[in-house]
Amino acid sequence: MKDNKKSFITKKMIKDAIRDSFIKLNPKDMIKNPVMFVAYIGMIITAILTVFPQIAGEGGRTYNFIVTIILFFTIVFANFAEAIAEGRGKAQADTLKSTKRDTKAKLLKPDGSYVIVNASELKKGDRVLVEANDMIPNDGEVIEGLASVNESAITGESAPVIKEPGGDFSSVTGGTTVVSDWIKVEITSDPGESFLDKMISLVEGASRQKTPNEIALSTLLVALTVIFIMVIVSLYPIANFVGVKIEVSTLVALLVCLIPTTIGGLLSSIGIAGMDRVTRFNVIAMSGKAVEACGDVDVMILDKTGTITFGNRLAAKFIPVEGVSEEEVIKYSLITSINDTTPEGKSTIELGEKLGFTVNKEEYAKAEFIEFTAQTKSSGMNLENGDRIRKGAYSSITAFVKENGGAIPSDLKDKVDDISKLGGTPLVVAKQDKVYGVIYLKDTVKPGLVERFAQLREMGIKTVMCTGDNPLTAATIAKEAGVDDYIAECKPEDKIDAIKKEQANGKIVAMTGDGTNDAPALAQANVGLAMNSGTIAAKEAANMVDLDSDPTKILDVVGIGKQLLITRGALTTFSIANDVAKYFAIIPAMFMLAIPQIKVLNIMGLNSPKSAIISALIFNAIIIPLLIPIALKGVKYRPMKPEKILKRNLSIYGLGGVIVPFIGIKIIDIIIAPLLKIIGM
């Protein structure tokens, strides 16, 4: 995965987040987070009791003030967690916005001339001329011309991309720049609706809505909060019955400590950070739901060409015909490829060098290079001594040999057919009237994919390769790549059928695509990752767009989605485990004076009821900012089966969530107990 952002958190982000933390104290913002809103109401109650302690018949103004201050910082820390996550998105949005400022466009008139206008004035259907060094003013389709386009403003990559009318490389994105030549573009979006505008809105978080998982967890937290409110309300008469007077501020503090404020304060920031984490790797998620769905993927459908394989057929083997040595076929194969700059020619030289054979290019400096053409279906060299060496298709080379009075080896046809059956491309090599052998070209599987597919299998994710190749070729590539299944001679409708079949079995399906014919399948899949270099139809159908146009990135996106879910689960586990420890800190300390037998539960040996409550309250506040880095960066994810992940998180965050508060509250109690005695508490 690629992380092209310079800094995780900057000083400006922290400064802005601190300011926003106080702005978010507005009740309209606070009520959006029910758990923290309860703490907010509690803070208001204790603040009123600080000023008017007689309302509840209490005289502990100092105690009420301390509780109010701690609750205030608890809420501010929770707001800070959300603000710092939003700040990172806003920083990315500012970078994207910079590509939109002061852009001019050459709006074409019916007579072919143009007038300069602001890009913001362009409407859907307008046609513009974009020449070298001009910025493309808005999303559109190339209708005329051919140009090299620098998409680094969007993708972060400096390598230009060729754009031309028709096909899968006709769409252009506003904010990118034409490097050479010219194109005429028909605008396909109205102002404010371009791909860049959508990116800015999504990255800023303005369009972020809670995901189903987040809503379910929020509902659980609200339910736990309601339960603890009922517990606290019931506790007051019970305390009176046993002769223990509990102040209202103490009940508020107890409630805030026992409700899941830790995850309540971090939940929003985890969701925002999930989308941000995807964006930092140059993938734009159209919703938080898409990122979350990645974490639940069961089946991954991958196109073969360009995703699993390089797409270019590269030299894999030199096969001599009967009566010819391997050295001879390698020698003449290399000579024909000296000036061949195609992937096939370069890979032939590289394969020969791997086998220990080299050709001195200077020896053939005066030789005539014959380029490949669609008519001749061959390429080669005409040497100074009159020798003519060729490599090419079986039909063209056999005709070439016969023209020179040569005979065709009896085993040549079988060797060519064997390569073709495997889905490879045979290049026959000959000199004048003699055939020397065949170069076996094959679509090579990308390095490292076998290991990555094995990791996906370990995670319980099934991989399915889709290809238009015949079943024999598909089986060969599938075995080499290590995918679990394949669909040969696959048509667009076959992809949709495969997705629907898996979904009917309750599976969550992900797939990649870039062409218009991929759009229906991208829309059908739970996670559709479209390539930015692809058509507008594909990008609109998908719920994620990869700005780098790297189809294999879906493997990384799945990891990010799983990391999001694991982070949310781990911090929820830690938060609830915290409550167990805080229960043992506060309840025994409150009742041990009236009920001496309960002292056995005072495991921490805290000094007094008030020091226990304030210590727990302080710990409850400071644990939120301490967990912000985990919420933003995510819990470290290792590919493994869900059962192992659950056991690992329970042992680390469950057990840790119980142990850490015991230690933290005890340390705080040791520090504040003497201070409380000094002020008479």
Side-chain angles (χ1 to χ4, degrees):
M1 290 192 296
K2 167 189 163 185
D3 190 342
N4 62 349
K5 304 295 181 265
K6 293 180 181 178
S7 179
F8 182 68
I9 296 176
T10 64
K11 289 182 180 179
K12 186 180 183 303
M13 286 183 201
I14 294 174
K15 184 179 177 181
D16 291 344
I18 292 172
R19 182 199 64 214
D20 291 344
S21 300
F22 290 94
I23 294 173
K24 286 176 178 288
L25 290 172
N26 186 320
K28 290 182 180 179
D29 292 320
M30 291 303 308
I31 202 169
K32 294 175 184 177
N33 188 332
V35 176
M36 297 313 299
F37 187 68
V38 170
Y40 184 72
I41 295 297
M43 180 193 71
I44 293 173
I45 292 171
T46 57
I48 293 171
L49 292 175
T50 300
V51 181
F52 306 107
Q54 64 274 15
I55 293 176
E58 300 174 2
R61 183 170 285 174
T62 303
Y63 174 62
N64 292 342
F65 177 73
I66 292 172
V67 172
T68 301
I69 291 298
I70 297 172
L71 289 177
F72 173 77
F73 279 105
T74 302
I75 296 162
V76 168
F77 288 154
N79 288 347
F80 179 79
E82 184 173 9
I84 197 74
E86 290 175 346
R88 285 175 39 167
K90 287 175 183 176
Q92 291 176 354
D94 288 341
T95 302
L96 294 172
K97 283 176 181 176
S98 66
T99 66
K100 290 175 62 66
R101 293 172 188 153
D102 305 322
T103 304
K104 301 292 183 181
K106 297 171 180 175
L107 178 62
L108 290 168
K109 295 180 177 181
D111 62 2
S113 62
Y114 65 80
V115 59
I116 304 294
V117 299
N118 289 323
S120 58
E121 298 175 19
L122 294 174
K123 303 183 297 296
K124 189 174 182 179
D126 285 344
R127 296 188 173 191
V128 296
L129 171 67
V130 192
E131 298 177 297
N133 300 318
D134 288 349
M135 184 176 286
I136 295 171
N138 209 337
D139 294 357
E141 291 276 354
V142 178
I143 56 174
E144 188 179 336
L146 182 148
S148 180
V149 178
N150 182 349
E151 297 186 326
S152 61
I154 305 297
T155 67
E157 296 290 345
S158 58
V161 180
I162 300 298
K163 297 290 184 177
E164 57 187 336
D168 292 344
F169 293 95
S170 61
S171 80
V172 289
T173 305
T176 56
T177 306
V178 170
V179 178
S180 65
D181 302 297
W182 59 270
I183 48 175
K184 289 182 181 179
V185 177
E186 182 173 314
I187 303 301
T188 55
S189 62
D190 288 320
E193 297 179 358
S194 70
F195 179 62
L196 194 58
D197 289 313
K198 290 176 184 176
M199 283 171 59
I200 291 169
S201 179
L202 289 162
V203 169
E204 280 184 316
S207 298
R208 196 190 88 86
Q209 297 180 352
K210 287 188 175 182
T211 63
N213 183 283
E214 204 171 341
I215 292 170
L217 185 52
S218 296
T219 304
L220 172 63
L221 297 184
V222 170
L224 289 174
T225 301
V226 171
I227 290 169
F228 279 118
I229 289 173
M230 294 171 63
V231 169
I232 297 303
V233 171
S234 304
L235 189 63
Y236 189 78
I238 293 172
N240 284 338
F241 179 77
V242 297
V244 176
K245 178 174 172 52
I246 302 179
E247 297 174 343
V248 173
S249 294
T250 298
L251 288 173
V252 170
L254 181 59
L255 174 62
V256 172
C257 283
L258 294 184
I259 63 177
T261 49
T262 305
I263 186 62
L266 295 171
L267 185 60
S268 231
S269 62
I270 295 170
I272 295 169
M275 288 185 69
D276 170 75
R277 206 173 298 125
V278 171
T279 307
R280 288 172 69 83
F281 291 105
N282 269 8
V283 174
I284 295 296
M286 298 308 177
S287 68
K289 185 178 179 180
V291 182
E292 193 173 276
C294 289
D296 290 325
V297 165
D298 301 299
V299 179
M300 193 178 294
I301 294 181
L302 299 155
D303 195 35
K304 186 205 81 172
T305 306
T307 304
I308 293 175
T309 63
F310 283 107
N312 294 324
R313 294 178 182 265
L314 308 178
K317 192 176 182 181
F318 298 108
I319 304 172
V321 293
E322 189 176 356
V324 175
S325 67
E326 186 179 28
E327 289 79 4
E328 286 180 291
V329 69
I330 293 175
K331 174 186 174 182
Y332 291 114
S333 296
L334 296 184
I335 291 173
T336 62
S337 303
I338 289 175
N339 295 319
D340 187 351
T341 58
T342 64
E344 293 86 352
K346 290 179 179 179
S347 65
T348 299
I349 296 291
E350 289 172 4
L351 179 60
E353 289 175 349
K354 283 181 183 178
L355 296 174
F357 294 88
T358 56
V359 175
N360 187 352
K361 193 172 182 178
E362 293 181 1
E363 291 182 18
Y364 302 94
K366 295 182 180 180
E368 179 189 6
F369 175 63
I370 307 299
E371 290 192 23
F372 177 89
T373 66
Q375 289 75 30
T376 63
K377 293 183 180 179
S378 66
S379 63
M381 296 281 273
N382 291 339
L383 305 185
E384 283 187 283
N385 62 7
D387 287 343
R388 293 184 297 162
I389 308 170
R390 297 288 185 271
K391 69 176 180 199
Y394 172 80
S395 58
S396 65
I397 298 302
T398 52
F400 170 78
V401 170
K402 288 177 181 177
E403 285 174 8
N404 287 280
I408 307 303
S410 58
D411 60 337
L412 178 62
K413 187 69 169 63
D414 290 338
K415 294 183 186 299
V416 167
D417 288 345
D418 289 343
I419 293 172
S420 298
K421 288 176 183 176
L422 292 173
T425 300
L427 287 183
V428 180
V429 179
K431 184 181 79 168
Q432 307 286 79
D433 59 351
K434 183 177 181 181
V435 173
Y436 284 86
V438 184
I439 304 173
Y440 173 19
L441 300 180
K442 61 178 290 191
D443 198 355
T444 309
V445 172
K446 293 182 178 180
L449 281 187
V450 175
E451 293 77 10
R452 298 181 79 177
F453 287 142
Q455 289 178 346
L456 290 172
R457 196 173 298 110
E458 178 67 19
M459 291 155 53
I461 297 174
K462 176 185 175 183
T463 50
V464 180
M465 180 187 78
C466 289
T467 175
D469 291 335
N470 62 65
L472 181 60
T473 302
T476 303
I477 296 293
K479 183 178 180 181
E480 188 177 341
V483 295
D484 299 311
D485 200 359
Y486 64 89
I487 303 173
E489 298 175 344
C490 183
K491 299 182 289 295
E493 52 268 30
D494 295 330
K495 292 181 183 179
I496 299 175
D497 291 341
I499 293 170
K500 287 181 176 179
K501 182 180 177 182
E502 296 290 352
Q503 289 173 333
N505 292 325
K507 305 294 185 181
I508 304 295
V509 183
M511 80 155 287
T512 62
D514 61 357
T516 300
N517 62 349
D518 290 323
L522 286 168
Q524 180 67 38
N526 302 90
V527 178
L529 180 65
M531 303 298 103
N532 190 44
S533 61
T535 62
I536 289 176
K539 288 190 278 189
E540 288 183 346
N543 50 23
M544 284 187 170
V545 177
D546 176 23
L547 301 180
D548 295 329
S549 301
D550 176 7
T552 61
K553 198 180 286 185
I554 194 168
L555 306 175
D556 300 316
V557 171
V558 166
I560 293 171
K562 287 195 175 291
Q563 186 184 38
L564 168 65
L565 295 178
I566 290 168
T567 300
R568 192 179 289 153
L571 292 183
T572 301
T573 303
F574 185 88
S575 179
I576 294 173
N578 261 219
D579 292 338
V580 174
K582 285 180 279 188
Y583 176 88
F584 277 99
I586 299 174
I587 300 297
M590 287 174 57
F591 287 94
M592 65 184 178
L593 294 178
I595 310 173
Q597 294 87 344
I598 208 171
K599 190 174 182 180
V600 70
L601 295 177
N602 186 22
I603 301 170
M604 300 184 195
L606 304 178
N607 280 277
S608 68
K610 287 189 176 177
S611 73
I613 290 164
I614 292 174
S615 298
L617 208 54
I618 291 173
F619 176 84
N620 193 61
I622 64 175
I623 197 65
I624 293 175
L626 291 177
L627 290 174
I628 287 176
I630 296 177
L632 296 183
K633 287 189 174 181
V635 173
K636 189 173 181 181
Y637 170 66
R638 295 189 183 95
M640 60 179 74
K641 290 184 178 178
E643 305 83 48
K644 290 184 179 179
I645 293 173
L646 179 62
K647 288 179 182 177
R648 180 173 175 270
N649 284 345
L650 283 176
S651 61
I652 296 174
Y653 293 94
L655 190 59
V658 173
I659 295 172
V660 170
F662 274 91
I663 299 170
I665 292 172
K666 180 61 179 177
I667 292 172
I668 295 169
D669 180 72
I670 292 170
I671 295 170
I672 69 164
L675 299 176
L676 294 178
K677 287 180 181 177
I678 292 172
I679 61 176
M681 289 179 59

